[in-house]
Amino acid sequence: MNKMKSGRVVLLLLLCWNVANFAVIAAAPQTCPANLQGQCGESEEWKGEFFPGIPKIKYEGPNSKNHLAFKWYNAEEVILGKKMKDWMRFSVAFWHTFRGTGGDPFGGPTKFWPWEDGTNSVAMAKRRMRANFEFLNKIGVDYWCFHDRDIAPEGDTLKESNEYLDEVVALAKELQGSKIKPLWGTAQLFVQPRYMHGAATSSELGVYAYAAAQVKKAMDVTNYLGGENYVFWGGREGYQTLLNTDMERELNHLASFFHSAVAYKKKIGFNGTLLIEPKPQEPTKHQYDWDAATAANFLRKYGLLGEFKLNIECNHATLSGHSCHHELETARINGLLGNIDANTGDPQVGWDTDQFLTDISEATMVMLSVIRNGGIAPGGFNFDAKLRRESTDVEDIFIAHIVGMDTLARGLRSAAKLVEEGSLTELVRKRYESFDSEIGKKIEAGDADLEFLEKKALEWGEPKVPSAKQELAEMLFQSAL
Ligand code: XLS
Ligand code: NI
Ligand code: NI
């Protein structure tokens, strides 16, 4: 409580680290300040609407000039045999949309949402939760994602933190109604200083235990809220230098941690998919779940395949030197494509800028992978994306999500066009045609030894190598956009 009380004195509390903003940040009080003990007289509950004047967002089609309408996302429209809303399963990321402040390493908050009162109290957490659900209902999104600590404040003890969380989660459960659910929940194991050496890979046993307790509780509340997945993003599971790091031991610990999570999931009957979210670095110099292939190998080595899938984030993909399409395909061909954290980086900026995806060509490639995967349910598209620092109107929250949804919807339409039209598929099929022969089949079945192949090579002479039709592939792709 002491920690929270000090917030009374400090009007503007800024906790800022790196470029990610999961901050417990205060805004200038604009309404009845929520009492730090969780009371705010009669005005603890926000009276009226959080987004007055903003109607339920509707589909108006590509010719609409209304910036508060969908131009491409038509939830009920059927594309390739599935409703758009079932292909997409969009989700709002609570931490960016309701805890993002616009702060960056060089400057404080720029966003002062009218419902924020400058505190990190339980009352404020509840009020924010109401704003979240009004937003979800108005934008027409049925899923949301959260970390334990962005929906409720951390107390002085684990017990107190759990009590705060329970109180906020009870309200969330009520506000969810029968339609809305978490796409996934997770434990925030990277902000609090105890996690500075990592959580499951910390050199301190006590920290490992604390992280395990936090995951247990976060999984409990995700399950209670009907969450469909549970995410592990190991932001601090990695190292700054190998000179002081026992990498083998840390990875063994991480695997033990995941095995315990699997056991607990089964024990409580939680049916959600467990997801690992790869990222190469930031905040660590090297994060252990570097990319999809690294995570797949980790799962394989430690006997965890079948228990986990991957949550691919597009901006993390580019940070690891891959395209989002590459990461999605790597996950897909390994049977690991579980969810997408839909965002994008800036082509000229090197870090995790978490922007809303607005590039139609990138969205089309993303949707090609999703179509090839037959959809990603029970996963979906979580907007792990934040408004730019300079977008400060409440209306911008809507516009950002609308453009993100429309971009992916447009990607789905283009990808479906490509699939239905078939020329690109045909180009790829033809490219590998030689392997459709009897000998090709023998090779693919693993039945062709080197002696046999040498005999054939001698018999055939120099092979004729056809064109890869690279520019034609690009042309066919573009014609669908
Ligand atoms: C940070 C990650 C994080 C995870 C959830 O870069 O994307 O937001 O999605 O912990
Ligand atoms: Ni993410
Ligand atoms: Ni990220």
Side-chain angles (χ1 to χ4, degrees), residues 233 277 279 313 315-316 341 343 352 354 384:
W233 172 61
E277 184 178 325
K279 184 175 183 182
E313 178 165 323
N315 203 162
H316 296 180
D341 265 7
N343 65 12
D352 200 12
D354 287 340
D384 196 350

Side-chain angles (χ1 to χ4, degrees), residues 221-289:
V221 303
T222 304
N223 189 27
Y224 174 72
L225 290 169
E228 303 206 352
N229 302 271
Y230 184 89
V231 161
F232 294 87
W233 172 61
R236 295 200 189 271
E237 313 293 20
Y239 59 80
Q240 303 299 349
T241 168
L242 283 174
L243 294 175
N244 69 358
T245 303
D246 186 337
M247 180 156 69
E248 187 178 17
R249 205 165 179 184
E250 291 199 2
L251 285 166
N252 289 344
H253 292 175
L254 187 58
S256 299
F257 195 85
F258 286 149
H259 275 291
S260 302
V262 170
Y264 188 67
K265 170 193 150 155
K266 291 181 178 162
K267 185 171 177 196
I268 62 171
F270 172 49
N271 294 323
T273 309
L274 302 182
L275 299 166
I276 288 180
E277 184 178 325
K279 184 175 183 182
Q281 62 233 154
E282 193 209 35
T284 51
K285 167 197 153 63
H286 182 104
Q287 191 185 310
Y288 289 135
D289 305 316

